[in-house]
Protein backbone atom coordinates (compact mmCIF):
# COMPACT_ATOMS: atom_id res chain seq x y z
CA UNK A 1 0.00 0.00 0.00
CA UNK A 2 1.26 3.50 -0.86
CA UNK A 3 -0.03 6.29 1.38
CA UNK A 4 2.05 9.17 0.00
CA UNK A 5 0.40 12.17 -1.64
CA UNK A 6 1.32 13.12 -5.21
CA UNK A 7 2.49 16.51 -3.95
CA UNK A 8 5.80 14.81 -3.06
CA UNK A 9 6.67 14.28 -6.74
CA UNK A 10 4.66 16.93 -8.61
CA UNK A 11 4.30 20.69 -8.88
CA UNK A 12 1.26 22.76 -9.88
CA UNK A 13 0.98 24.24 -13.35
CA UNK A 14 1.63 28.01 -13.10
CA UNK A 15 -1.32 29.01 -15.31
CA UNK A 16 -3.83 26.26 -14.49
CA UNK A 17 -3.18 25.24 -10.91
CA UNK A 18 -5.38 22.41 -9.60
CA UNK A 19 -8.45 23.32 -7.54
CA UNK A 20 -10.50 20.98 -5.36
CA UNK A 21 -14.13 20.12 -5.95
CA UNK A 22 -16.27 19.12 -2.99
CA UNK A 23 -17.09 15.40 -3.04
CA UNK A 24 -19.72 13.67 -0.90
CA UNK A 25 -17.74 10.45 -0.53
CA UNK A 26 -20.35 8.48 1.44
CA UNK A 27 -22.92 9.21 -1.28
CA UNK A 28 -20.50 8.36 -4.11
CA UNK A 29 -19.38 5.12 -2.47
CA UNK A 30 -22.96 4.09 -1.73
CA UNK A 31 -23.84 4.66 -5.38
CA UNK A 32 -20.81 2.65 -6.55
CA UNK A 33 -21.33 -0.09 -3.98
CA UNK A 34 -17.60 0.14 -3.20
CA UNK A 35 -15.28 2.02 -0.89
CA UNK A 36 -12.65 3.90 -2.86
CA UNK A 37 -8.88 4.05 -2.18
CA UNK A 38 -7.82 6.64 0.38
CA UNK A 39 -5.02 8.03 -1.83
CA UNK A 40 -7.56 8.73 -4.59
CA UNK A 41 -9.91 10.48 -2.19
CA UNK A 42 -7.05 12.59 -0.82
CA UNK A 43 -6.04 13.47 -4.37
CA UNK A 44 -9.58 14.53 -5.29
CA UNK A 45 -10.12 16.49 -2.06
CA UNK A 46 -6.84 18.38 -2.47
CA UNK A 47 -6.61 18.83 -6.24
CA UNK A 48 -9.91 18.12 -8.01
CA UNK A 49 -9.92 16.81 -11.61
CA UNK A 50 -6.34 16.69 -12.87
CA UNK A 51 -4.36 16.94 -16.05
CA UNK A 52 -1.43 14.89 -14.77
CA UNK A 53 1.96 15.09 -16.44
CA UNK A 54 0.33 16.86 -19.42
CA UNK A 55 -0.81 13.39 -20.58
CA UNK A 56 -3.17 11.71 -18.10
CA UNK A 57 -6.60 12.91 -17.09
CA UNK A 58 -7.51 11.77 -13.59
CA UNK A 59 -11.29 11.95 -13.27
CA UNK A 60 -12.91 12.55 -9.90
CA UNK A 61 -16.61 12.74 -8.98
CA UNK A 62 -17.58 16.07 -10.54
CA UNK A 63 -19.58 17.44 -13.43
CA UNK A 64 -19.67 20.28 -15.89
CA UNK A 65 -22.77 21.02 -17.95
CA UNK A 66 -22.70 19.29 -21.37
CA UNK A 67 -19.00 18.43 -20.98
CA UNK A 68 -18.60 15.81 -18.29
CA UNK A 69 -20.63 13.81 -15.83
CA UNK A 70 -18.74 11.37 -13.61
CA UNK A 71 -21.52 8.79 -13.56
CA UNK A 72 -22.08 8.91 -17.31
CA UNK A 73 -18.33 8.71 -17.92
CA UNK A 74 -18.08 5.58 -15.79
CA UNK A 75 -21.10 4.01 -17.49
CA UNK A 76 -19.78 4.60 -21.02
CA UNK A 77 -16.19 3.69 -20.13
CA UNK A 78 -17.23 0.42 -18.50
CA UNK A 79 -19.57 -0.42 -21.38
CA UNK A 80 -16.74 0.05 -23.87
CA UNK A 81 -14.38 -1.99 -21.69
CA UNK A 82 -16.84 -4.90 -21.56
CA UNK A 83 -17.15 -4.86 -25.36
CA UNK A 84 -13.39 -4.71 -25.91
CA UNK A 85 -12.70 -7.41 -23.34
CA UNK A 86 -14.69 -9.87 -25.48
CA UNK A 87 -11.81 -9.82 -27.96
CA UNK A 88 -9.87 -11.91 -25.42
CA UNK A 89 -10.35 -15.62 -24.83
CA UNK A 90 -13.08 -16.09 -22.28
CA UNK A 91 -10.71 -17.27 -19.55
CA UNK A 92 -8.61 -14.08 -19.88
CA UNK A 93 -11.39 -11.50 -20.02
CA UNK A 94 -11.35 -9.06 -17.11
CA UNK A 95 -14.58 -8.51 -15.22
CA UNK A 96 -15.79 -4.90 -15.35
CA UNK A 97 -17.71 -2.93 -12.72
CA UNK A 98 -20.43 -3.45 -11.53
CA UNK A 99 -19.51 -7.15 -11.72
CA UNK A 100 -17.98 -8.32 -8.42
CA UNK A 101 -14.23 -7.75 -8.55
CA UNK A 102 -14.62 -5.81 -11.78
CA UNK A 103 -12.30 -3.16 -13.17
CA UNK A 104 -13.21 0.36 -12.03
CA UNK A 105 -12.09 3.29 -14.20
CA UNK A 106 -10.30 6.33 -12.80
CA UNK A 107 -8.62 8.01 -15.76
CA UNK A 108 -7.68 8.19 -19.42
CA UNK A 109 -4.66 9.32 -21.41
CA UNK A 110 -4.39 11.66 -24.36
CA UNK A 111 -3.61 8.55 -26.38
CA UNK A 112 -6.99 7.04 -25.38
CA UNK A 113 -5.49 4.53 -22.94
CA UNK A 114 -7.96 3.83 -20.12
CA UNK A 115 -6.79 3.37 -16.54
CA UNK A 116 -8.61 1.17 -14.03
CA UNK A 117 -8.27 -0.31 -10.58
CA UNK A 118 -8.40 -4.08 -10.27
CA UNK A 119 -10.92 -4.40 -7.44
CA UNK A 120 -10.45 -8.18 -7.33
CA UNK A 121 -7.00 -7.82 -5.74
CA UNK A 122 -8.24 -7.22 -2.21
CA UNK A 123 -11.23 -6.37 -0.07
CA UNK A 124 -9.14 -3.39 1.04
CA UNK A 125 -9.37 -0.69 -1.71
CA UNK A 126 -6.03 0.75 -0.60
CA UNK A 127 -4.44 -2.39 -2.04
CA UNK A 128 -6.15 -2.18 -5.44
CA UNK A 129 -3.64 -2.11 -8.28
CA UNK A 130 -3.69 -0.42 -11.66
CA UNK A 131 -4.75 -2.06 -14.92
CA UNK A 132 -4.34 -0.11 -18.17
CA UNK A 133 -6.00 -0.81 -21.48
CA UNK A 134 -3.35 0.48 -23.90
CA UNK A 135 -4.36 1.78 -27.32
CA UNK A 136 -1.02 2.20 -28.99
CA UNK A 137 2.42 0.70 -28.97
CA UNK A 138 4.04 1.00 -25.55
CA UNK A 139 7.47 -0.41 -24.70
CA UNK A 140 7.02 -3.89 -23.26
CA UNK A 141 3.40 -4.18 -24.33
CA UNK A 142 3.76 -7.05 -26.79
CA UNK A 143 0.39 -7.84 -28.36
CA UNK A 144 -1.70 -7.76 -25.20
CA UNK A 145 -3.58 -4.45 -24.69
CA UNK A 146 -4.63 -5.13 -21.07
CA UNK A 147 -1.81 -4.83 -18.52
CA UNK A 148 -1.85 -5.43 -14.78
CA UNK A 149 0.83 -3.42 -13.02
CA UNK A 150 0.84 -4.50 -9.40
CA UNK A 151 1.08 -0.81 -8.44
CA UNK A 152 -1.41 1.29 -6.51
CA UNK A 153 -2.67 4.57 -7.97
CA UNK A 154 -0.05 6.77 -6.30
CA UNK A 155 2.75 4.31 -6.96
CA UNK A 156 1.77 4.10 -10.61
CA UNK A 157 1.67 7.88 -10.98
CA UNK A 158 5.04 8.25 -9.25
CA UNK A 159 6.65 5.82 -11.70
CA UNK A 160 5.36 7.78 -14.71
CA UNK A 161 7.20 10.91 -13.51
CA UNK A 162 10.78 10.51 -14.67
CA UNK A 163 13.20 12.09 -17.11
CA UNK A 164 14.12 8.86 -18.84
CA UNK A 165 13.51 5.12 -18.70
CA UNK A 166 14.87 3.50 -15.57
CA UNK A 167 15.59 -0.12 -14.83
CA UNK A 168 14.10 -2.08 -13.31
CA UNK A 169 10.85 -0.63 -14.57
CA UNK A 170 7.38 -1.47 -13.20
CA UNK A 171 5.80 -4.64 -14.52
CA UNK A 172 4.41 -4.30 -18.01
CA UNK A 173 4.62 -1.30 -20.35
CA UNK A 174 4.81 2.19 -18.88
CA UNK A 175 3.16 5.42 -19.97
CA UNK A 176 5.82 8.07 -19.83
CA UNK A 177 8.25 9.41 -18.96
CA UNK A 178 6.01 12.32 -17.91
CA UNK A 179 6.75 15.66 -16.32
CA UNK A 180 5.66 16.07 -12.72
CA UNK A 181 3.02 18.71 -13.48
CA UNK A 182 -0.54 18.82 -12.20
CA UNK A 183 -3.14 21.19 -13.60
CA UNK A 184 -6.89 21.69 -13.54
CA UNK A 185 -8.25 19.72 -16.47
CA UNK A 186 -8.79 22.33 -19.17
CA UNK A 187 -12.19 21.06 -20.30
CA UNK A 188 -13.37 20.97 -16.67
CA UNK A 189 -12.47 24.54 -15.80
CA UNK A 190 -15.87 25.08 -14.16
CA UNK A 191 -16.29 21.60 -12.68
CA UNK A 192 -18.91 21.42 -9.93
CA UNK A 193 -19.73 18.84 -7.25
CA UNK A 194 -21.39 15.71 -8.57
CA UNK A 195 -24.57 14.26 -7.13
CA UNK A 196 -25.19 10.55 -7.72
CA UNK A 197 -28.43 9.97 -9.61
CA UNK A 198 -31.37 8.87 -7.53
CA UNK A 199 -32.73 5.35 -8.12
CA UNK A 200 -35.41 5.42 -10.78
CA UNK A 201 -38.46 3.31 -11.33
CA UNK A 202 -38.70 1.56 -14.71
CA UNK A 203 -39.99 3.92 -17.39
CA UNK A 204 -42.27 1.25 -18.85
CA UNK A 205 -44.49 -1.32 -17.26
CA UNK A 206 -43.88 -4.97 -18.16
CA UNK A 207 -46.82 -4.84 -20.57
CA UNK A 208 -45.54 -1.64 -22.23
CA UNK A 209 -42.06 -3.10 -22.44
CA UNK A 210 -43.37 -6.14 -24.32
CA UNK A 211 -45.14 -3.84 -26.78
CA UNK A 212 -42.03 -1.67 -27.19
CA UNK A 213 -39.64 -4.57 -27.75
CA UNK A 214 -41.72 -7.43 -29.09
CA UNK A 215 -45.32 -7.05 -30.17
CA UNK A 216 -45.74 -3.38 -31.07
CA UNK A 217 -45.28 -2.01 -34.57
CA UNK A 218 -44.94 1.36 -36.22
CA UNK A 219 -45.56 4.52 -34.24
CA UNK A 220 -47.12 2.56 -31.36
CA UNK A 221 -43.81 0.87 -30.57
CA UNK A 222 -41.71 3.92 -31.44
CA UNK A 223 -43.63 6.18 -29.03
CA UNK A 224 -42.92 3.75 -26.18
CA UNK A 225 -39.25 3.38 -27.06
CA UNK A 226 -38.72 7.11 -27.65
CA UNK A 227 -41.51 9.34 -26.33
CA UNK A 228 -42.16 12.21 -28.76
CA UNK A 229 -41.70 15.82 -27.63
CA UNK A 230 -44.58 18.04 -26.67
CA UNK A 231 -43.93 20.15 -29.77
CA UNK A 232 -42.22 18.94 -32.92
CA UNK A 233 -39.77 21.56 -34.19
CA UNK A 234 -39.62 21.74 -37.97
CA UNK A 235 -38.42 25.27 -38.66
CA UNK A 236 -40.22 28.38 -39.86
CA UNK A 237 -40.96 27.42 -43.45
CA UNK A 238 -43.54 25.18 -45.09
CA UNK A 239 -43.41 21.75 -46.69
CA UNK A 240 -44.64 23.18 -49.98
CA UNK A 241 -41.83 25.73 -49.88
CA UNK A 242 -39.26 22.97 -49.30
CA UNK A 243 -40.73 20.83 -52.08
CA UNK A 244 -40.48 23.81 -54.43
CA UNK A 245 -36.79 24.30 -53.50
CA UNK A 246 -36.01 20.62 -54.01
CA UNK A 247 -38.17 20.18 -57.10
CA UNK A 248 -39.79 17.08 -55.56
CA UNK A 249 -42.06 15.98 -52.79
CA UNK A 250 -40.65 13.80 -50.00
CA UNK A 251 -41.96 10.43 -48.77
CA UNK A 252 -45.21 10.63 -46.80
CA UNK A 253 -43.81 8.39 -44.04
CA UNK A 254 -41.02 10.92 -43.44
CA UNK A 255 -43.59 13.73 -43.11
CA UNK A 256 -45.62 11.61 -40.67
CA UNK A 257 -42.56 10.94 -38.53
CA UNK A 258 -41.45 14.56 -38.59
CA UNK A 259 -44.89 15.85 -37.65
CA UNK A 260 -44.71 13.60 -34.57
CA UNK A 261 -41.07 14.17 -33.57
CA UNK A 262 -39.59 17.01 -35.60
CA UNK A 263 -35.86 17.65 -35.85
CA UNK A 264 -33.64 16.12 -33.18
CA UNK A 265 -31.32 13.32 -32.19
CA UNK A 266 -32.29 9.66 -31.80
CA UNK A 267 -30.47 7.62 -29.15
CA UNK A 268 -27.81 10.34 -28.81
CA UNK A 269 -26.47 9.28 -32.21
CA UNK A 270 -28.72 9.75 -35.27
CA UNK A 271 -29.51 13.39 -36.08
CA UNK A 272 -32.47 14.40 -38.25
CA UNK A 273 -31.99 17.71 -40.04
CA UNK A 274 -34.41 20.57 -39.43
CA UNK A 275 -36.44 20.35 -42.65
CA UNK A 276 -38.20 23.71 -42.78
CA UNK A 277 -35.51 26.07 -41.52
CA UNK A 278 -35.26 29.23 -43.60
CA UNK A 279 -32.28 31.51 -44.08
CA UNK A 280 -28.85 30.08 -43.30
CA UNK A 281 -28.27 26.36 -42.68
CA UNK A 282 -31.55 25.35 -44.26
CA UNK A 283 -32.24 21.78 -45.38
CA UNK A 284 -31.10 22.38 -48.96
CA UNK A 285 -27.78 23.83 -47.73
CA UNK A 286 -26.99 20.60 -45.88
CA UNK A 287 -28.02 18.47 -48.85
CA UNK A 288 -25.84 20.40 -51.30
CA UNK A 289 -22.88 20.47 -48.93
CA UNK A 290 -23.08 16.73 -48.35
CA UNK A 291 -23.55 15.77 -51.98
CA UNK A 292 -20.70 18.06 -53.10
CA UNK A 293 -18.33 16.40 -50.60
CA UNK A 294 -19.44 12.95 -51.73
CA UNK A 295 -18.86 13.78 -55.40
CA UNK A 296 -15.31 14.90 -54.59
CA UNK A 297 -14.67 11.64 -52.75
CA UNK A 298 -16.23 9.65 -55.58
CA UNK A 299 -13.83 11.21 -58.09
CA UNK A 300 -10.85 10.06 -56.03
CA UNK A 301 -12.15 6.69 -54.80
CA UNK A 302 -15.16 5.55 -56.84
CA UNK A 303 -14.87 2.01 -55.45
CA UNK A 304 -15.72 3.31 -51.97
CA UNK A 305 -18.28 5.90 -53.06
CA UNK A 306 -20.47 4.26 -55.72
CA UNK A 307 -23.75 6.12 -55.17
CA UNK A 308 -25.17 8.66 -57.60
CA UNK A 309 -25.89 11.96 -55.88
CA UNK A 310 -29.12 13.93 -55.97
CA UNK A 311 -30.26 15.44 -58.32
CA UNK A 312 -28.60 12.82 -60.55
CA UNK A 313 -31.10 10.12 -61.64
CA UNK A 314 -31.73 7.83 -58.69
CA UNK A 315 -29.40 10.04 -56.65
CA UNK A 316 -28.84 9.90 -52.90
CA UNK A 317 -30.82 12.60 -51.05
CA UNK A 318 -29.68 12.83 -47.41
CA UNK A 319 -31.93 13.91 -44.54
CA UNK A 320 -30.11 12.67 -41.41
CA UNK A 321 -26.58 12.03 -40.22
CA UNK A 322 -24.82 10.35 -37.34
CA UNK A 323 -22.35 11.71 -34.82
CA UNK A 324 -19.79 9.55 -36.68
CA UNK A 325 -20.49 11.35 -40.00
CA UNK A 326 -22.56 8.59 -41.61
CA UNK A 327 -25.45 9.88 -43.75
CA UNK A 328 -28.98 8.46 -44.06
CA UNK A 329 -31.10 9.28 -47.07
CA UNK A 330 -33.17 8.07 -49.98
CA UNK A 331 -32.22 6.78 -53.40
CA UNK A 332 -34.55 8.93 -55.49
CA UNK A 333 -35.47 6.18 -57.94
CA UNK A 334 -38.61 6.84 -59.96
CA UNK A 335 -41.36 9.44 -59.71
CA UNK A 336 -43.02 8.12 -56.54
CA UNK A 337 -41.18 9.34 -53.40
CA UNK A 338 -43.06 6.79 -51.29
CA UNK A 339 -41.24 4.04 -53.21
CA UNK A 340 -37.76 5.48 -52.67
CA UNK A 341 -35.54 3.02 -50.75
CA UNK A 342 -33.56 4.14 -47.72
CA UNK A 343 -29.80 3.72 -47.62
CA UNK A 344 -26.86 4.74 -45.43
CA UNK A 345 -23.69 6.22 -46.83
CA UNK A 346 -21.28 4.93 -44.16
CA UNK A 347 -18.26 6.93 -43.07
CA UNK A 348 -16.13 4.05 -41.81
CA UNK A 349 -17.33 1.05 -43.81
CA UNK A 350 -17.99 -0.19 -47.33
CA UNK A 351 -21.20 0.91 -49.01
CA UNK A 352 -24.07 -1.41 -48.10
CA UNK A 353 -27.33 -2.27 -49.81
CA UNK A 354 -30.62 -0.31 -49.67
CA UNK A 355 -32.77 -1.12 -46.66
CA UNK A 356 -35.75 -3.39 -46.83
CA UNK A 357 -37.32 -1.48 -43.91
CA UNK A 358 -39.44 1.63 -44.13
CA UNK A 359 -38.30 4.61 -42.05
CA UNK A 360 -40.46 4.11 -38.96
CA UNK A 361 -40.01 0.33 -38.92
CA UNK A 362 -36.24 0.84 -39.30
CA UNK A 363 -36.12 3.19 -36.30
CA UNK A 364 -38.11 0.70 -34.22
CA UNK A 365 -35.91 -2.25 -35.21
CA UNK A 366 -32.71 -0.25 -34.74
CA UNK A 367 -33.68 0.88 -31.25
CA UNK A 368 -34.72 -2.66 -30.37
CA UNK A 369 -31.29 -3.85 -31.45
CA UNK A 370 -32.70 -6.19 -34.12
CA UNK A 371 -31.62 -4.15 -37.15
CA UNK A 372 -27.86 -4.20 -37.70
CA UNK A 373 -26.39 -2.63 -40.82
CA UNK A 374 -23.31 -0.71 -41.91
CA UNK A 375 -23.46 2.89 -40.78
CA UNK A 376 -25.85 2.39 -37.85
CA UNK A 377 -24.39 2.05 -34.37
CA UNK A 378 -25.61 -1.19 -32.80
CA UNK A 379 -26.49 -2.17 -29.25
CA UNK A 380 -24.18 -4.30 -27.18
CA UNK A 381 -25.46 -7.63 -25.87
CA UNK A 382 -25.54 -6.22 -22.33
CA UNK A 383 -27.43 -3.04 -23.27
CA UNK A 384 -31.06 -2.56 -22.29
CA UNK A 385 -32.75 -1.29 -25.48
CA UNK A 386 -35.33 0.70 -23.51
CA UNK A 387 -32.61 2.52 -21.57
CA UNK A 388 -30.62 3.24 -24.74
CA UNK A 389 -33.57 4.46 -26.82
CA UNK A 390 -34.65 8.07 -26.75
CA UNK A 391 -35.25 11.23 -28.73
CA UNK A 392 -33.91 14.70 -27.96
CA UNK A 393 -35.91 17.40 -29.75
CA UNK A 394 -34.14 20.45 -31.08
CA UNK A 395 -35.20 24.08 -31.05
CA UNK A 396 -34.79 26.97 -33.44
CA UNK A 397 -31.34 27.57 -31.88
CA UNK A 398 -30.01 24.18 -32.90
CA UNK A 399 -27.28 24.13 -35.57
CA UNK A 400 -28.76 21.28 -37.53
Amino acid sequence: MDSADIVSFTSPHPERPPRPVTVDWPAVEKWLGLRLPDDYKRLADAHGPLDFGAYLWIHVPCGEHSRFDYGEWLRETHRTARIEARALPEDRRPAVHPEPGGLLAWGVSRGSDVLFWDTSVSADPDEWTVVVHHRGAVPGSGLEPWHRYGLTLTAYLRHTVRDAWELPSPPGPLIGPLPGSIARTAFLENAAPWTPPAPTVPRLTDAERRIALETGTGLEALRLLSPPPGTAYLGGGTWEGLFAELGTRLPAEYLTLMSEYGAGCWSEWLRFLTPLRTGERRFLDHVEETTDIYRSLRESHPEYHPLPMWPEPGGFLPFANSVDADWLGWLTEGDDPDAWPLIVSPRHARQGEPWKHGLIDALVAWQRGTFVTEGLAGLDEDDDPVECAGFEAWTDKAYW
Side-chain angles (χ1 to χ4, degrees), residues 310-326:
W310 180 89
E312 299 168 31
F316 178 71
L317 176 58
F319 63 88
N321 68 9
S322 79
V323 298
D324 295 320
D326 312 283

Side-chain angles (χ1 to χ4, degrees), residues 126-355:
D126 294 330
E127 296 179 357
W128 292 349
T129 53
V130 171
V131 175
V132 180
H133 183 252
H134 291 289
R135 296 289 181 182
V138 181
S141 66
L143 299 176
E144 176 63 75
W146 299 88
H147 290 274
R148 301 177 182 273
Y149 283 86
L151 299 169
T152 63
L153 169 68
T154 302
Y156 180 83
L157 295 176
R158 179 190 289 120
H159 279 285
T160 69
V161 177
R162 53 181 69 199
D163 296 324
W165 293 107
E166 300 172 10
L167 294 175
S169 64
L174 179 66
I175 292 175
L178 303 181
S181 65
I182 51 175
R184 166 56 73 91
T185 303
F187 62 87
L188 295 177
E189 176 62 27
N190 299 309
W194 180 75
T195 301
T200 57
V201 298
R203 180 168 65 84
L204 302 180
T205 66
D206 289 345
E208 290 172 331
R209 187 178 175 89
R210 281 193 296 274
I211 295 171
L213 298 180
E214 299 172 22
T215 63
T217 59
L219 282 173
E220 176 194 32
L222 191 61
R223 290 187 188 106
L224 287 172
L225 283 166
S226 298
T231 302
Y233 176 67
L234 299 172
T238 65
W239 287 114
E240 292 304 323
L242 175 62
F243 299 160
E245 274 196 311
L246 295 172
T248 180
R249 301 188 69 81
L250 296 178
E253 186 180 28
Y254 171 73
L255 271 64
T256 297
L257 179 73
M258 296 305 289
S259 68
E260 184 94 4
Y261 286 90
C265 188
W266 295 85
S267 298
E268 300 181 352
W269 191 81
L270 183 61
R271 306 177 294 196
F272 274 52
L273 303 178
T274 306
L276 306 184
R277 178 178 284 134
T278 56
E280 295 183 355
R281 308 305 298 173
R282 68 197 196 283
F283 185 90
L284 183 58
D285 292 333
H286 287 294
V287 169
E288 291 177 339
E289 178 181 316
T290 303
T291 53
D292 285 348
I293 291 172
Y294 191 95
R295 288 188 184 95
S296 297
L297 294 170
R298 189 174 61 188
E299 289 179 5
S300 303
H301 301 285
E303 69 276 21
Y304 300 123
H305 302 88
L307 298 179
M309 284 289 108
W310 180 89
E312 299 168 31
F316 178 71
L317 176 58
F319 63 88
N321 68 9
S322 79
V323 298
D324 295 320
D326 312 283
W327 278 91
L328 171 62
W330 302 282
L331 291 178
T332 56
E333 300 170 346
D335 297 329
D336 180 7
D338 293 332
W340 291 347
L342 290 161
I343 195 169
V344 167
S345 171
R347 175 66 178 83
H348 301 288
R350 291 272 190 171
Q351 179 62 57
E353 297 296 318
W355 295 359

